[in-house]
Amino acid sequence: MLSSLEDLNAALRENRPDDYVTDAHQQTGMSPVSFGPGTSEWEWDATRTLVLNPFGYVAGGYLSLFADELMSSAIGSVMGEGEFATTAESKINFIKPVEKGLVKGTSKVLRKGKRVAFLEATIVNKKDEVVATVSSTWTVVGP
C-alpha cells in the first residue's frame, strides 16, 4: 500500500489498482479494477456480514462508502502535483435494494476546476441493473 499523496495519485494516473488497495478495501471486499484519466472502475464482493443490514441486503452506508471510493480514485487521477480533493457534497439515489453478491461501479470527473470538481458514479448489481446513482462536488486543495 502506498502512503504519500504523490504516490497514491501516481498509482491512479498510471493505472496500478493493486498498489491502491488498503486493509479496509480487503475487509469490505472492495477492489479497484482500473483507473483512467478522470475515471475509475471498481468491483465489490458484497457478501461479508459486515456490509449487510439486518434484512440481508447491502447497507446504504456501505453503498455510499463504495461510491466515495469510486469518486476519490477518479478525481485523484487528475490531481496535479501537491493537489488533493475532499468531498464537499454528495447525493446518492438508491434505486433498488442490493442483494449480497457482486456489485460493480464506475465513476468519472465531469469537470475539474482550480478549486471545485464535479463527479458522478453509477453502481450496478450482479444482473447489471443500476441500483444507485451518485453526484458529488469536491473541493480541490493545493497549490
Side-chain angles (χ1 to χ4, degrees):
M1 181 179 87
L2 303 173
S3 59
S4 81
L5 175 64
E6 295 304 324
D7 288 343
L8 288 169
N9 289 345
L12 295 168
R13 283 191 302 272
E14 297 166 9
N15 191 24
R16 292 185 283 127
D18 291 341
D19 290 341
Y20 196 75
V21 175
T22 67
D23 291 341
H25 296 140
Q26 292 173 346
Q27 291 170 1
T28 56
M30 297 178 190
S31 57
V33 174
S34 67
F35 308 123
T39 65
S40 71
E41 180 183 350
W42 287 63
E43 289 185 345
W44 179 18
D45 176 23
T47 57
R48 292 162 173 80
T49 304
L50 170 73
V51 303
L52 303 177
N53 66 25
F55 305 103
Y57 290 93
V58 178
Y62 281 100
L63 284 167
S64 296
L65 173 64
F66 186 56
D68 196 64
E69 292 293 345
L70 285 162
M71 292 183 292
S72 64
S73 53
I75 189 67
S77 71
V78 294
M79 291 288 105
E81 186 174 336
E83 283 187 323
F84 68 96
T86 62
T87 310
E89 168 277 331
S90 187
K91 180 187 184 314
I92 187 165
N93 295 300
F94 299 108
I95 297 169
K96 64 187 303 183
V98 181
E99 296 177 0
K100 67 180 181 179
L102 181 64
V103 177
K104 297 179 184 179
T106 57
S107 180
K108 68 179 176 179
V109 176
L110 301 174
R111 182 179 186 283
K112 178 195 172 279
K114 289 184 73 107
R115 296 290 171 233
V116 178
F118 302 94
L119 289 87
E120 68 180 13
T122 303
I123 300 171
V124 299
N125 63 15
K126 56 189 169 191
K127 299 175 188 171
D128 277 335
E129 299 168 322
V130 175
V131 295
T133 58
V134 187
S135 61
S136 190
T137 305
W138 289 63
T139 301
V140 178
V141 180

